Amino acid sequence: DHAQATSELDRLYVEQQQWAALDELLAETASASTDVRAREAIVVRRAALATDRLGRPEAALELLEGLVSSPTCPEPVVGLLEQIGQHDGLRVRTARLLEPVYERTGSWSALLSSLETQRAAEGPIERAELIGRVATVAEERLGDLPTAYRAWCELFLADPNDSAPRQAVPRLAARLGQWQPAIDAWRTAASATTDLRLAADLWGDLAGWYEAQGAVADAVAAWRAQLNAAADDPEVQRHAGAELARLLEAGGDWRGLRDALRTASAWSATGTQRRDLLVRVAELEENRLAEPTSAIATWRDVLSESPDDLTGLVALERLLLGQRLHADVVDVFRRRIDSARSPSEAVEYLRRLS
């Protein structure tokens, strides 16, 4: 009968290695069959024939495309697709077909490889989505933290405003104890972006990371970079200025501290805050920098904010007398007379003034 004749032809074609004729026979047999599983088995056999004997991997891929999503997908299909995927021109196409299969079967290492293959060939939007999936699969399914870390760093650089990598990168850096990739990514993004608010945030992150690692000089540089990036933001100026001053004071960089405090005074929210910062500047100039002339100028700034400031008047009097600037002391004495707290104090300064 027909089935027996077909079987005999099949055997003869195999024996005589007439692969093209065998493929035609199998195609005719599949078309005539009403048994779904039998048809699928024939398709798999034709795909293997096209791959192994006819040198037509693309034709094999086309045959298998319809079987991958089938709930009755024959087991050899995955192996054949993986074999076809070894051909350079078919890697990405095969990877796309295998992705849902691997996910459905929990083949996470294979899925990770499939995603990596695809992302190299996609546009920016699709690539970012694939990188995110690589990071998630690597961390949550495989526990492969280094691969997840690299993927999150790459995703962050693709979109530094994305909150997911902004949170994931430092989390994995801390778990792995490897901060340099995160630092490199943040520095690259902060230096490249035209979004000054974003740049300021990133420099602030970097300053904190540097200090936690004991890299104080780098932390100082990062706080200064934040101040430059947010030149018109009073809140950032006050916060970054205070952090910068703290590090400079701890490191004994008195000149740098003086400059930082002066800058911070310009952004003070209140006159009292400005006065307190200027007092620190004046004390630094007198006691740490040995610059009495500068200290005198700063105490004058303090008194311009608060003309009756007793601390300022006393300090200015002392410095002016020390520099033998007697003519300038006269103004201080007049202010002391006007602000005297008792008649005897006023009399004493009248005597000294005379």
Side-chain angles (χ1 to χ4, degrees), residues 143-160:
D144 184 352
L145 300 188
T147 296
Y149 187 24
R150 287 192 296 271
W152 281 122
C153 284
E154 186 176 348
L155 191 59
F156 165 77
L157 287 170
D159 183 6

Side-chain angles (χ1 to χ4, degrees), residues 128-170:
E129 181 180 347
L130 287 166
I131 295 170
R133 293 195 62 203
V134 166
T136 301
V137 170
E139 181 176 2
E140 297 180 4
R141 298 296 187 177
L142 294 171
D144 184 352
L145 300 188
T147 296
Y149 187 24
R150 287 192 296 271
W152 281 122
C153 284
E154 186 176 348
L155 191 59
F156 165 77
L157 287 170
D159 183 6
N161 280 300
D162 189 338
S163 61
R166 286 276 296 272
Q167 295 170 6
V169 169

